[in-house]
Amino acid sequence: MILAAVIPTLISMMISYVMTTGSMKERAVTENQNLLYQGSLNLENDLEELDRSSLIVYSDPEFFRSLTYSQEDIRASGRQSATLQTIAQSVNDIMQVYLYIPSRQESSLYAQGVVKKGTGYPLYKDTPDLENQSLQFQTPHPIHTYGFQLSHSYQPEHKVFTLYRSIERVPSTEQLGILAIDVDLTFFSRISSQLYQPDHEQLYIMNEDGMVLYSGNESVIGSRAEQSWAGRVLDSGGGQGHFEMNKHIYLYEPIAAPSGSWTIVKEIPSSYLLQSADKAALINILLLAFSLILIIGASIWVSVYVTKPIRGLVGLMSQVRSGNMTVDVQSDRKDEIGILHRRFSSMMDTINNLILREYKLKLANSNNQLRALQAQVNPHFMNNALQTIGTLALEHNMKRIYSLISALARMMRYSMYNTDKPVTLATELKHVEDYIELQKERFENQFHILYDVKDSTRELLIPKMLIQPLVENFFKHGMDPLSDQNVIGIRSGWHSGSALEITVENNGRSMPEPALMKLQDKLKEIEALDIEQLEVFEEGTSDSEGGIGLLNTLTRLKLFYRGEAGFRVDNVAEGGFRVTMRMYTGGERIESIDRG
C-alpha cells in the first residue's frame, strides 16, 4: 500500500510540476502579449492625437497667413498665440509649445498659461535638422525654456520628450517655421503603468535606434539600452514576439509611431512567474511525507477497526434496496463509521421527505391547473360584457361609442385566441386599424397614419401580433403630445422579388444613440443564434417581455421563418424611429439586412 501510494504520487508530482511551469509560462506569455498589444494600440492612438494636434497649423488658414507677417502685426501675433494655446490644450500632457520663424528670427513660447514672444532669437541649439524629415520625436531630456524667462522655474530633473514639425508652404518644401511641442512623460506612464507590476517587472519603450523613451527605471530614460536583450529585440524586424534570456522572459510589441517604429518591451523574472509553482511543489512534498505516516497507521487501523461496521452498513443498504424504507440506522460511534451511519440515516429521512414533497407538488399542480381553467373564464366574460355594452350604446344611438367598443372587442378576440397560429398581413393590418381607431379617440387629431401596402403581400402569412406592438411603441416612446404633425407610416413590399419587407416608421422622438447602439448589438447577438438556441432564448424572455419587445419580435420572426428573416432598427435622419423587417417567402435566398 505504501509503495502503491508513494511511487505514483512522486511521478505525478514531477509531471505536474513540469507541466504546470510550462503551462504557467505559456499562459503568462499569452496574457502579457495581449496586454502589450492593447497597450500599444492605446499608445498609437495617443501618438496619433498628438500628431493631429501638431497639424492644426495646416488646418488654420489665418494662422498660416500670419507666418508671413511680423510679430509687430497685432492681428498676426494674436492668431499665432491663439493657435499655440489651442495646440497646448489639445492634449492633457503637453507642457509647452514653441514656434520659431527662421526668416525673421522670431520666437513664441506658450508655457505656464501665457505666451512669451521675442525677436532676434537664434534657433534653439538642440533643435534637430528637419530638412529631410518634417516630423521628428526627440528622446526624453530635461525641460528647457528656449531662451525665455518664465515666472516659475522648472525642476531640473523634470524630463519631457519633444515633437518637432517643420511648417512648410504646401505643396513646396519651403520652410515657413518650426513647431516644437514638449510633452510630459506622464503621456507614457498613464498607459504604461497599467502594463506591468513595478515591484517585480520592468517595462521599456524604445525607438528604432534603441533609445529608451520611457521605463519604470527612470535612470535609463533618454539613454541607449545597452543590455544584451535590447539588440535581440531590435534585430527582430519590428514584429511581436518573446524569448527567454538570463532567467528572464522578454516580450515585445511594435508601436507604429508617426515618425518611425517604436517597440514596447516587458521584462518578467522567471522566478516571479514560477513562484506559485515552486510553492505548490514544496507543499506537495510536505503532504507526501505526512501521507506516508497516515498510510502506515491507517493500514493497520482499517484492517482491525473498520471492516466489520462497514459490512453491517452494507447490510442495511441491502434492506433499503429491497424496499424497506424504515430501517433503523443508529450508531453511537464518534468516528467516520458513525458519520456514515448518521449520513445514511439523514439520507433516508431526505428520501422520505422528497417522496412526501413530490406528492404535495402533484396536488398543488392539480390545484394550479384548476385555477388556470377558472381564469380562462375572465377574458370571455370581458368580451361578452363589451358586446353587451356596445349593443346598449347602439340602442341609445351612440354610434361612436359602439364603434370604439367594437374595435376594442375585436382586439381582445384577436389577442385571446390562437396566439401561436400565423395570420395574413391583411388580418394583422385590420387589428392595427382597430388599435388606431381607439388611439384616435384618445389623441384626437394629433397624429396621422399612412399605409403603403402592396396588394400582392396582403395574403401572406406572418406571425400574429407582429405590427401592432411596433405601432404601440410610437405612442409609448416616440409621440410628441404637443404636436399635431405626428405621422406613422406602414409599408409592405418585395425585396429582390421573393423577400417580404415590412417597415414601420414615425417622425417622433428618436432613440438616444447609446441605447440604439446597445439595442443593435443585442439584435446582432440574436441573429447569430441557431434555431435551437433561439427556442431557448424565446422561452427565457417571452414571459418577462410580454411577447412584444423588439428583441422578442426578432426571435419570433427567425423561429417562424426558420432563420430566414432579418430585422433592423435605426433613427430617421430628420427625426423619428424606423423598424424594418424582411422575411424570406420563397425563391432565391435573401441576405441579412445591411446595418449601414
Side-chain angles (χ1 to χ4, degrees):
M1 291 180 64
I2 295 174
L3 291 177
V6 172
I7 293 177
T9 303
L10 287 174
I11 297 175
S12 175
M13 286 175 54
M14 294 174 61
I15 296 175
S16 176
Y17 180 78
V18 173
M19 295 184 63
T20 300
T21 54
S23 175
M24 291 181 67
K25 285 184 180 180
E26 292 179 3
R27 185 171 66 252
V29 167
T30 301
E31 292 176 353
N32 283 278
Q33 202 77 64
N34 292 336
L35 184 63
L36 290 185
Y37 175 73
Q38 187 61 49
S40 67
L41 291 181
N42 294 336
L43 284 172
E44 287 174 4
N45 292 335
D46 288 353
L47 288 170
E48 288 179 4
E49 183 179 359
L50 182 61
D51 182 42
R52 285 195 297 271
S53 68
S54 69
L55 290 172
I56 292 177
V57 298
Y58 288 101
S59 60
D60 188 345
E62 293 187 11
F63 170 80
F64 215 72
R65 286 194 297 270
S66 72
L67 297 178
T68 60
Y69 295 93
S70 171
Q71 290 183 354
E72 296 178 357
D73 187 308
I74 298 177
R75 189 171 181 181
S77 177
R79 181 69 267 173
Q80 293 175 12
S81 299
T83 301
L84 294 182
Q85 183 177 0
T86 299
I87 294 174
Q89 294 176 351
S90 63
V91 178
N92 292 333
D93 301 312
I94 294 179
M95 295 286 295
Q96 54 188 14
V97 184
Y98 173 69
L99 175 66
Y100 184 77
I101 303 177
S103 61
R104 295 187 300 277
Q105 290 190 329
E106 293 181 348
S107 301
S108 300
L109 177 66
Y110 177 83
Q112 298 179 357
V114 298
V115 178
K116 298 283 187 177
K117 293 182 178 292
T119 305
Y121 284 31
L123 181 63
Y124 193 73
K125 57 184 179 60
D126 291 337
T127 303
D129 183 13
L130 300 174
E131 182 176 352
N132 298 323
Q133 190 174 1
S134 61
L135 176 68
Q136 291 190 34
F137 280 90
Q138 188 178 31
T139 57
H141 55 84
I143 189 170
H144 43 63
T145 60
Y146 299 93
F148 289 95
Q149 183 68 34
L150 301 180
S151 57
H152 303 290
S153 300
Y154 293 118
Q155 296 294 331
E157 66 276 7
H158 196 156
K159 289 185 177 182
V160 296
F161 73 96
T162 305
L163 180 148
Y164 289 96
R165 179 176 289 281
S166 176
I167 305 175
E168 301 173 347
R169 189 188 301 277
V170 180
S172 69
T173 58
E174 178 188 353
Q175 189 180 75
L176 299 179
I178 295 175
L179 181 70
I181 302 175
D182 289 338
V183 185
D184 192 84
L185 292 186
T186 54
F187 180 88
F188 292 124
S189 64
R190 186 177 62 253
I191 294 176
S192 300
S193 61
Q194 303 174 15
L195 305 180
Y196 74 109
Q197 298 292 334
D199 296 337
H200 305 283
E201 304 169 340
Q202 193 55 266
L203 190 80
Y204 303 90
I205 299 177
M206 304 187 305
N207 63 11
E208 61 273 15
D209 298 324
M211 301 296 294
V212 179
L213 304 177
Y214 175 79
S215 173
N217 182 7
E218 296 183 0
S219 62
V220 301
I221 295 178
S223 61
R224 184 178 300 278
E226 301 293 346
Q227 295 90 335
S228 56
W229 57 261
R232 188 166 175 178
V233 171
L234 294 176
D235 293 340
S236 64
Q240 68 167 201
H242 67 278
F243 58 88
E244 191 168 357
M245 177 185 292
N246 299 329
K247 297 183 179 180
H248 287 75
I249 296 177
Y250 296 90
L251 303 98
Y252 52 92
E253 183 77 26
I255 301 175
S259 65
S261 178
W262 297 357
T263 306
I264 182 170
V265 183
K266 186 173 182 179
E267 178 187 58
I268 309 174
S270 298
S271 58
Y272 174 62
L273 283 181
L274 302 179
Q275 60 181 358
S276 59
D278 294 337
K279 185 181 297 184
L282 177 60
I283 293 174
N284 286 337
I285 293 174
L286 295 176
L287 288 175
L288 177 61
F290 183 70
S291 298
L292 287 174
I293 299 174
L294 288 181
I295 289 172
I296 294 174
S299 299
I300 300 173
W301 182 78
V302 167
S303 61
V304 175
Y305 192 68
V306 175
T307 305
K308 183 178 180 180
I310 289 180
R311 288 179 178 176
L313 186 59
V314 170
L316 294 176
M317 292 180 179
S318 300
Q319 294 184 43
V320 173
R321 182 180 180 182
S322 63
N324 183 9
M325 306 299 293
T326 59
V327 294
D328 185 13
V329 189
Q330 299 295 331
S331 176
D332 296 331
R333 297 180 59 143
K334 304 299 182 183
D335 56 7
E336 288 79 0
I337 301 300
I339 293 175
L340 286 176
H341 278 81
R342 288 189 289 274
R343 293 292 173 84
F344 185 67
S345 177
S346 176
M347 182 187 70
M348 293 304 304
D349 292 339
T350 302
I351 292 175
N352 290 325
N353 290 334
L354 286 175
I355 293 173
L356 180 60
R357 185 183 303 172
E358 181 70 17
Y359 171 75
K360 290 181 178 180
L361 285 175
K362 289 183 179 179
L363 182 61
N365 186 45
S366 300
N367 293 333
N368 289 334
Q369 291 178 353
L370 178 60
R371 295 192 188 97
L373 292 173
Q374 293 172 345
Q376 291 180 0
V377 178
N378 294 333
H380 295 283
F381 171 76
M382 292 295 295
N383 184 47
N384 294 335
L386 288 174
Q387 292 290 348
T388 302
I389 296 173
T391 302
L392 184 61
L394 193 61
E395 291 177 355
H396 288 77
N397 201 26
M398 295 180 180
K399 297 182 179 180
R400 181 57 181 165
I401 295 177
Y402 176 78
S403 177
L404 294 175
I405 291 176
S406 297
L408 180 58
R410 288 193 298 270
M411 287 185 65
M412 288 189 62
R413 286 195 302 271
Y414 186 82
S415 61
M416 281 192 306
Y417 301 110
N418 297 326
T419 56
D420 295 332
K421 292 185 177 180
V423 297
T424 63
L425 176 61
T427 303
E428 178 71 10
L429 291 177
K430 178 61 179 175
H431 178 62
V432 173
E433 291 174 359
D434 289 334
Y435 176 76
I436 292 296
E437 183 73 12
L438 294 173
Q439 294 295 354
K440 283 183 178 179
E441 186 66 22
R442 177 184 177 188
F443 294 104
E444 297 182 358
N445 296 320
Q446 287 185 276
F447 71 93
H448 308 278
I449 184 164
L450 304 177
Y451 296 96
D452 182 10
V453 181
K454 298 294 183 182
D455 292 338
S456 59
T457 65
R458 289 182 173 272
E459 298 305 317
L460 295 178
L461 294 178
I462 62 172
K464 196 174 185 180
M465 299 295 290
L466 183 66
I467 301 177
Q468 184 268 331
L470 302 179
V471 176
E472 185 177 348
N473 281 342
F474 165 72
F475 294 99
K476 288 184 177 180
H477 308 293
M479 181 175 178
D480 183 0
L482 301 180
S483 172
D484 58 356
Q485 300 299 321
N486 295 288
V487 178
I488 313 170
I490 300 176
R491 299 192 301 272
S492 74
W494 296 99
H495 178 81
S496 301
S498 61
L500 171 63
E501 185 172 89
I502 300 175
T503 302
V504 179
E505 179 180 343
N506 65 73
N507 66 344
R509 290 188 293 268
S510 299
M511 182 178 289
E513 284 300 322
L516 179 61
M517 294 178 63
K518 182 177 180 182
L519 175 59
Q520 290 174 339
D521 291 341
K522 190 64 179 177
L523 291 174
K524 289 180 181 179
E525 292 180 11
I526 296 177
E527 286 188 346
L529 300 178
D530 56 30
I531 299 300
E532 294 181 357
Q533 293 172 325
L534 283 170
E535 291 174 349
V536 174
F537 178 83
E538 187 205 24
E539 292 175 0
T541 58
S542 59
D543 291 337
S544 60
E545 298 182 6
I548 63 172
L550 295 176
L551 302 180
N552 190 277
T553 301
L554 173 57
T555 305
R556 293 175 60 217
L557 276 177
K558 293 183 71 65
L559 286 173
F560 183 81
Y561 292 99
R562 308 307 294 174
E564 302 294 339
F567 193 85
R568 170 178 164 182
V569 296
D570 50 23
N571 289 326
V572 181
E574 298 80 10
F577 190 70
R578 180 189 300 118
V579 177
T580 304
M581 298 172 288
R582 191 174 295 164
M583 294 78 82
Y584 175 67
T585 59
E588 298 181 356
R589 183 184 182 90
I590 65 170
E591 298 179 355
S592 61
I593 297 180
D594 180 16
R595 292 189 172 275

